[in-house]
Amino acid sequence: MFWRNTMTENDNKKSMCSYKFYLLFIIFACGGACIWQLFIPQIGEQYSIWGSAVGWQREIALWNIALITAIMLSIKKKDIAALRLLTIQTTTLCWLLGANHLVAFVNSNFSFGSIHFLGFLEVMLCGGIWGTILIFKYRPQK
């Protein structure tokens, strides 16, 4: 079983609240990315070293919509196992996508005007570190 609940009721409430708050941040971040990827993809061309790839940006936006939907349904159901699983999933994505932005930021000669610097800060440093702290703070007890 993925999650065995051996925490007290108070610990359960704290972890549920922490996961929800983190996942609301993810919804906000994915929602913002979705808006510019769907409706103003020129930002990707203008402020990144990756250039324009409207089809790929649209595809990533659709993945974001699916992730947002899963998070919203899990928050609504108040299912702590699903919230933990989504926290693990989004934290992993944040580390990987943030690392990708970090590489692009370095390859842009450390251009602070690039979208990659913000991607690195928001995705890896905020999402990755925050999610990792939650995963270890509220890990299941044996």
Side-chain angles (χ1 to χ4, degrees):
M1 182 177 216
F2 177 76
W3 174 273
R4 184 181 316 168
N5 191 355
T6 57
M7 295 191 297
T8 67
E9 187 65 31
N10 194 35
D11 289 338
N12 239 351
K13 287 179 183 178
K14 284 182 190 176
S15 64
M16 179 90 67
C17 183
S18 296
Y19 289 143
K20 282 182 187 179
F21 192 59
Y22 170 76
L23 291 169
L24 287 172
F25 163 77
I26 296 296
I27 287 173
F28 178 77
C30 288
C34 230
I35 290 168
W36 72 262
Q37 288 170 322
L38 284 175
F39 302 111
I40 42 177
Q42 303 82 0
I43 290 174
E45 180 176 12
Q46 187 174 358
Y47 295 104
S48 82
I49 65 169
W50 297 328
S52 181
V54 176
W56 280 111
Q57 288 184 48
R58 183 174 45 250
E59 191 165 308
I60 293 166
L62 297 174
W63 276 94
N64 283 339
I65 291 168
L67 183 59
I68 289 168
T69 303
I71 291 170
M72 289 172 59
L73 290 172
S74 295
I75 288 173
K76 185 177 180 197
K77 280 186 76 174
K78 299 178 181 176
D79 181 350
I80 196 162
L83 294 175
R84 178 168 171 76
L85 181 60
L86 283 163
T87 298
I88 292 168
Q89 176 191 17
T90 55
T91 299
T92 303
L93 279 170
C94 284
W95 281 110
L96 295 171
L97 297 175
N100 193 40
H101 275 291
L102 178 59
V103 168
F105 175 62
V106 170
N107 288 334
S108 73
N109 294 318
F110 300 94
S111 171
F112 289 95
S114 76
I115 204 166
H116 305 298
F117 179 67
L118 293 174
F120 164 67
L121 286 179
E122 176 189 18
V123 180
M124 182 185 273
L125 296 184
C126 291
I129 291 172
W130 184 4
T132 300
I133 290 168
L134 291 179
I135 290 166
F136 284 100
K137 183 175 182 177
Y138 298 113
R139 67 180 171 266
Q141 304 298 314
K142 293 183 182 189

